[in-house]
Amino acid sequence: MQIEIRDVSKTFQQKGEQLQVLDKISLEIEKGEFVCLLGPSGCGKSTLLNSIAGFERLDQGYIKIDQELVTAPTSKYVTIFQNYGLLPWRSVLRNVELGLEATKLPKNEREAIAKKYIHLVGLSKFEKSHPHQLSGGMQQRVAIARALAVNPDILFMDEPFGALDAITRIKMQKDILEITKSHKKTTLFVTHDIEEAVYLADRIVIMTPNPGKIKEIIPVKLPTSRDRTSDDFIRVRDRVFEILNMKETTILEYEL
Amino acid sequence: MKTLKHIVVSLLIFIGLWQLIYLIGGFQEALFPAPFSVGKAIVTMFLHKDVYQDIGASMYRFVIGYLLAVASGILLGLLLGWFPRVFNYVNPIIQVLRPISPIAWLPFIVLWFGIGDIPAIVIIFIAAFYPILLTTAASVGNIDPIYLKVAKNFGIRRHRVLFTIVFPAAFPQIMNSIHIALGSAWVFLVAGEMTGAQSGLGFRIIDARNNLRMDHLLATIVIIGIIGLLLDSLIKVIEKKILSNWGKEAKEGGKYNAN
């Protein structure tokens, strides 16, 4: 077990009201696993991810990574955001070098590492470009290269493909799966796209809002290279739909 | 090409109206000079070497006062923006000082620094300083929090974050204030040189008034306007060049500066 989340609770104050975003969440994630946090907006999936990544403080419970309490972000676990978080004033190369600047590596080595990962995401031709000259998908590739360049143990991804068009998204999903599997990165991936979760995850953690809770965890026992149109794929997807639909009917009953 | 057409036509209309008012009004040349005599005055002035010395003296004072304001405004603004708790204590004082016209300080400035170049430099400095300081401080608070998150994630140390992340992230807005401050500082050049200076374009205005040479006075005004315009175009070019790397933000900045 690489990540241990134990009885984690968190409330936000919003307009004088207490909003319970995380309610006694417990979860364990193994090394090398690809786990998707799936749920509608407001279910606390991003807050949970941010807490594991060290950006948020907890009210209750604890999170351990490699047996150590998480208190602040470190470059051992890198977060990839939906809006990429690239520095617009830096070229692609200099963006990817960013994480290496905190290390004591000499300049030419930093550059060599950055170039290697830019090549990996297929952007060697765009090394000298600035982020605004690239498409959304390419910008996210730069963010992925930047994350990989510091050789982190874990990748946290917060709806990374949410801003991309459907076709680019499918291509990116395929690529990120290949990269995380071949580099053996533990990946925690937040999404509200059911098909995306079924395509990517070894396990899907389904969350529901008010308060933010884990509804169910379903293992996806499909081969790594997944066919979105296969019966098995659709079966898993239906199962997720079912779980989420049940939540809708309970709300209806509640309102009646 | 279209802008050139606009400039030429607007100038022709302006000069035409001026000439018309001069002819219809029957003013004395000493009270209301005609465009032609002002044009002649400009030509005679440029045939004399005095005007080059005056422009040189003014530019010298302007550049020093303005650059000092840019450097100190950015540096202090970054620090105040980075330490908002300090800024909360300093801000009330700034807000009281800011609306005071730099001219109001002139008696003190002359008392403390004497006459010569310094009063004009100080006036220009004050005029440019506050907008840069306040915009810089505000823009530090306004930068996209994702940059700070990324910096934290990659373990960039706090003191390095200020210059590798915060300053460049805030730079488009800072550049905008530098641009606007250039215009307001140039406005105060004349005021700064009206007292205590024995050279410069502001002094030339006072000198022309004392000699009742309204043609020279207006000619100097025209020169001041044209230099102001040139300075503005120059900084616009610099701004565009620097900000092109920022992508979209540069275009936005450019739009604001159009006015």
Side-chain angles (χ1 to χ4, degrees):
Chain A
M1 169 176 61
Q2 190 176 23
I3 306 176
E4 184 189 359
I5 300 153
R6 191 68 60 211
D7 292 326
V8 164
S9 293
K10 187 171 174 66
T11 43
F12 282 140
Q13 286 277 16
Q14 205 174 44
K15 290 173 196 155
E17 271 180 66
Q18 294 273 345
L19 200 69
Q20 181 120 27
V21 277
L22 297 175
D23 183 24
K24 291 214 167 134
I25 304 263
S26 290
L27 180 67
E28 287 168 10
I29 293 165
E30 300 299 326
K31 200 162 168 45
E33 233 189 330
F34 198 123
V35 173
C36 277
L37 300 177
L38 176 74
S41 48
C43 71
K45 55 192 191 304
S46 286
T47 309
L48 181 60
L49 185 91
N50 274 313
S51 304
I52 305 169
F55 291 114
E56 298 264 5
R57 268 163 215 248
L58 305 172
D59 295 343
Q60 271 166 45
Y62 65 85
I63 296 168
K64 284 184 180 175
I65 298 179
D66 297 324
Q67 269 92 49
E68 269 182 53
L69 272 180
V70 173
T71 50
T74 93
S75 53
K76 278 162 78 183
Y77 336 116
V78 176
T79 305
I80 293 169
F81 303 95
Q82 181 175 359
N83 42 356
Y84 326 123
L86 299 178
L87 310 179
W89 58 91
R90 286 185 173 215
S91 66
V92 166
L93 183 65
R94 298 269 296 127
N95 258 293
V96 177
E97 275 184 50
L98 178 74
L100 301 164
E101 285 169 14
T103 66
K104 290 204 168 65
L105 288 172
K107 176 99 180 101
N108 57 341
E109 260 176 70
R110 287 199 317 240
E111 213 175 285
I113 295 171
K115 283 185 174 174
K116 182 179 136 195
Y117 286 100
I118 293 169
H119 180 74
L120 178 80
V121 297
L123 289 177
S124 290
K125 267 198 249 164
F126 298 94
E127 248 170 42
K128 292 198 175 71
S129 305
H130 281 258
H132 69 97
Q133 295 166 313
L134 306 178
S135 70
M138 289 157 95
Q139 290 191 46
Q140 196 55 287
R141 282 170 192 276
V142 178
I144 292 166
R146 182 174 67 179
L148 293 171
V150 294
N151 194 23
D153 298 334
I154 305 171
L155 290 177
F156 296 116
M157 308 186 94
D158 192 357
E159 301 193 28
F161 309 144
L164 307 179
D165 66 85
I167 292 164
T168 310
R169 198 182 311 154
I170 288 173
K171 176 88 176 79
M172 293 293 285
Q173 287 165 358
K174 185 168 176 288
D175 290 355
I176 199 69
L177 204 55
E178 273 172 23
I179 288 170
T180 53
K181 291 297 174 197
S182 63
H183 287 73
K184 298 191 170 57
K185 304 289 182 199
T186 308
T187 309
L188 198 55
F189 190 106
V190 165
T191 181
H192 53 235
D193 181 337
I194 294 169
E195 195 178 278
E196 182 168 71
V198 177
Y199 182 80
L200 293 171
D202 296 322
R203 279 192 299 157
I204 303 176
V205 176
I206 299 174
M207 296 179 71
T208 50
N210 306 320
K213 266 188 165 177
I214 294 179
K215 173 108 184 186
E216 201 161 330
I217 300 173
I218 43 175
V220 185
K221 293 202 174 76
L222 296 172
T224 308
S225 149
R226 289 171 191 177
D227 177 358
R228 288 165 207 266
T229 54
S230 73
D231 292 345
D232 289 339
F233 189 96
I234 291 165
R235 209 166 296 133
V236 179
R237 208 187 62 181
D238 284 351
R239 173 103 181 86
V240 179
F241 267 114
E242 215 176 282
I243 295 166
L244 287 171
N245 279 341
M246 268 166 64
K247 197 214 111 221
E248 267 178 39
T249 40
T250 50
I251 280 180
L252 267 173
E253 279 165 9
Y254 186 71
E255 282 175 350
L256 283 167
Chain B
M1 223 44 221
K2 240 186 168 166
T3 18
L4 190 71
K5 190 180 108 186
H6 292 156
I7 292 170
V8 171
V9 171
S10 108
L11 267 182
L12 284 177
I13 292 174
F14 178 75
I15 294 171
L17 278 174
W18 178 2
Q19 181 71 42
L20 200 68
I21 294 169
Y22 174 76
L23 288 174
I24 293 171
F27 299 107
Q28 278 180 32
E29 184 75 10
L31 287 178
F32 189 78
F36 180 72
S37 39
V38 171
K40 211 171 76 183
I42 292 175
V43 173
T44 22
M45 281 169 88
F46 274 98
L47 290 175
H48 242 76
K49 68 174 197 264
D50 283 5
V51 75
Y52 299 103
Q53 281 169 356
D54 285 327
I55 291 173
S58 287
M59 289 310 293
Y60 167 75
R61 293 162 192 156
F62 180 76
V63 168
I64 289 183
Y66 176 68
L67 288 184
L68 279 176
V70 169
S72 56
I74 291 178
L75 204 66
L76 273 173
L78 282 176
L79 289 172
L80 289 179
W82 195 229
F83 300 105
R85 264 181 268 176
V86 180
F87 184 58
N88 288 341
Y89 286 102
V90 179
N91 195 32
I93 303 167
I94 298 175
Q95 295 304 338
V96 172
L97 292 176
R98 187 177 64 130
I100 301 169
S101 166
I103 307 299
W105 297 106
L106 202 57
F108 278 115
I109 295 167
V110 174
L111 261 179
W112 294 338
F113 301 107
I115 53 168
D117 291 332
I118 295 183
I121 291 173
V122 176
I123 294 282
I124 288 160
F125 173 85
I126 297 173
F129 177 68
Y130 290 113
I132 297 174
L133 175 80
L134 288 170
T135 310
T136 305
S139 61
V140 170
N142 285 340
I143 68 168
D144 191 337
I146 200 172
Y147 298 141
L148 300 177
K149 253 180 146 176
V150 167
K152 224 174 167 186
N153 198 166
F154 285 116
I156 297 170
R157 286 171 201 283
R158 215 174 130 81
H159 64 270
R160 277 200 56 223
V161 170
L162 186 58
F163 290 100
T164 52
I165 307 285
V166 175
F167 176 58
F171 189 73
Q173 275 172 280
I174 296 173
M175 188 67 220
N176 196 245
S177 75
I178 292 175
H179 186 164
I180 291 167
L182 180 101
S184 30
W186 185 248
V187 167
F188 279 98
L189 170 87
V190 174
E193 284 179 340
M194 279 177 144
T195 321
Q198 291 301 311
S199 62
L201 294 165
F203 166 75
R204 200 48 62 196
I205 297 248
I206 297 299
D207 194 47
R209 183 199 66 185
N210 291 345
N211 292 317
L212 294 174
R213 287 303 300 264
M214 294 305 140
D215 53 341
H216 280 190
L217 197 149
L218 258 181
T220 314
I221 287 174
V222 171
I223 292 170
I224 291 170
I226 288 170
I227 295 177
L229 178 71
L230 291 178
L231 285 171
D232 191 71
S233 318
L234 181 71
I235 200 160
K236 231 181 228 168
V237 171
I238 296 172
E239 185 178 21
K240 214 172 161 188
K241 207 169 159 84
I242 297 179
L243 288 189
S244 66
N245 281 344
W246 268 253
K248 275 186 200 146
E249 288 170 76
K251 276 174 216 153
E252 268 174 45
K255 240 185 242 163
Y256 291 136
N257 292 327
N259 46 42

